[in-house]
Amino acid sequence: MAEPPRLLHVHGSFSLGGKEARAVRLMNLWGGRARHSIVSAAPHLISARDAIDPVMPVDFPDPPPLAGKPNLSRFRAIAEFLSGYDLILSYNWGAMD
């Protein structure tokens, strides 16, 4: 059996609000058919994790810094981190800072 697709959800923050609630609802609907990873540019703001079904295959990896001054080494580290996922979803501008 093939491994489920690895989805990366990139948020500016993952505090429970509209976009986070929608993302959590979709994750819960997918069930075990996908493996979800969630990163937040503000890693201390992840209260929406409490709404994720506890049986869901989800993790919170430690990515390279997603916010900060642009530089080539940071962008290379981000690109290498992203290469391990089948689909990358970003939510609002905070995820792109």
Side-chain angles (χ1 to χ4, degrees), residues 1-74:
M1 178 181 236
E3 288 287 316
R6 296 198 63 212
L7 281 56
L8 176 65
H9 302 264
V10 182
H11 292 266
S13 73
F14 197 58
S15 295
L16 194 57
K19 67 178 178 59
E20 296 84 7
R22 286 187 297 277
V24 166
R25 185 170 190 275
L26 288 171
M27 286 181 229
N28 289 339
L29 286 170
W30 269 80
R33 293 174 291 184
R35 173 87 180 137
H36 299 275
S37 296
I38 301 166
V39 296
S40 172
H44 60 288
L45 299 174
I46 58 169
S47 63
R49 78 184 302 167
D50 296 337
I52 300 170
D53 186 334
V55 300
M56 280 295 302
V58 64
D59 64 10
F60 290 81
D62 188 23
L66 300 177
K69 187 175 180 180
N71 67 60
L72 190 55
S73 64
R74 186 167 72 93

